[in-house]
Amino acid sequence: MSQQSNPAVSRFPVPELKDMPEDIRERIIAVQEKAGFVPNVFLVLAYRPDEFRAFFAYHDALMERKGNLTIAEKEMIVVATSNVNQCQYCVIAHGAILRIRGKNPLIADQVATNYRKADITPRQKAMLDFAMKVSATAHLVGDADFEVLKGHGFDEDDIWDIAGISSFFGLSNRMANVTAMRPNNEFYSMGR
């Protein structure tokens, strides 16, 4: 699996797998074995090993945390906010994950295009309304937002999760745009 610097993958150098620190190399190989390919985000972020580790540690803490949000709902947050942040990589990659985890080949396109018209529940629309507010105007979040979410059955940990995912992927979206990270072709047909 040789990956030279490739403008189709990143504006920055992409290290060879053999030159990566062992823990990063092992993680990438594990992902490749599970998915059948290496998502470009792993290759691009391997350029800065300490940041790679921190990024994926926080990603895993948010996205793998047990709580009241389903894995599909977490992916909805990523897709909706990544669309507003104009992050092609995350909309395509997490759209594929949403189609698979939501067991719905239409949902990712609906959420990415206009979640307000998507075939999702009022609870999920409230969740995405809040995620979008966090993404674009977090300084305006107030007690009324918490009351709306609580009215849909979200507790404080759920609200933290929504805010954390929206915030984290704001960082991810910006770095993907700056690096010109391209979605792998494999993502486009997954879950369809």
Side-chain angles (χ1 to χ4, degrees):
M1 178 175 75
S2 175
Q3 286 288 332
Q4 295 294 334
S5 295
N6 181 345
V9 175
S10 177
R11 286 188 172 107
F12 292 85
V14 176
E16 293 278 348
L17 187 63
K18 66 180 177 52
D19 297 330
M20 294 178 192
E22 183 177 348
D23 62 316
I24 293 174
R25 186 172 53 251
E26 287 174 1
R27 179 158 186 162
I28 289 173
I29 291 169
V31 167
Q32 182 181 33
E33 288 172 356
K34 183 177 179 182
F37 67 100
V38 178
N40 287 337
V41 65
F42 290 90
L43 300 173
V44 172
L45 295 181
Y47 175 63
R48 306 271 297 250
D50 289 341
E51 292 168 40
F52 177 104
R53 292 179 188 102
F55 179 92
F56 284 108
Y58 195 42
H59 171 277
D60 295 350
L62 289 167
M63 300 302 282
E64 294 176 9
R65 181 184 175 282
K66 302 294 184 211
N68 296 321
L69 298 181
T70 68
I71 53 178
E73 288 171 335
K74 290 177 180 185
E75 295 297 338
M76 283 181 195
I77 295 167
V78 177
V79 171
T81 59
S82 295
N83 180 53
V84 168
N85 291 327
Q86 299 183 38
C87 180
Q88 181 186 46
Y89 184 88
C90 289
V91 170
I92 300 301
H94 288 274
I97 298 168
L98 174 55
R99 287 191 299 274
I100 292 166
R101 292 190 172 166
K103 296 176 177 55
N104 180 341
L106 307 178
I107 194 66
D109 295 335
Q110 291 179 1
V111 169
T113 304
N114 184 348
Y115 74 89
R116 291 171 192 89
K117 294 183 179 180
D119 296 326
I120 59 177
T121 67
R123 175 184 179 274
Q124 291 166 337
K125 286 179 184 167
M127 172 189 77
L128 294 178
D129 283 340
F130 181 69
M132 298 297 259
K133 188 170 187 176
V134 170
S135 184
T137 56
H139 63 283
L140 298 177
V141 169
D143 292 341
D145 298 299
F146 278 60
E147 292 308 313
V148 168
L149 291 169
K150 287 178 181 179
H152 285 278
F154 292 105
D155 64 23
E156 287 187 356
D157 281 334
D158 302 330
I159 296 168
W160 183 288
D161 289 341
I162 297 165
I165 293 165
S166 179
S167 300
F168 174 78
F169 278 93
L171 163 72
S172 180
N173 298 160
R174 286 159 181 80
M175 289 306 295
N177 281 327
V178 169
T179 62
M181 190 184 305
R182 298 284 299 178
N184 302 67
N185 290 339
E186 291 89 344
F187 285 127
Y188 289 93
S189 59
M190 291 172 62
R192 295 207 189 262

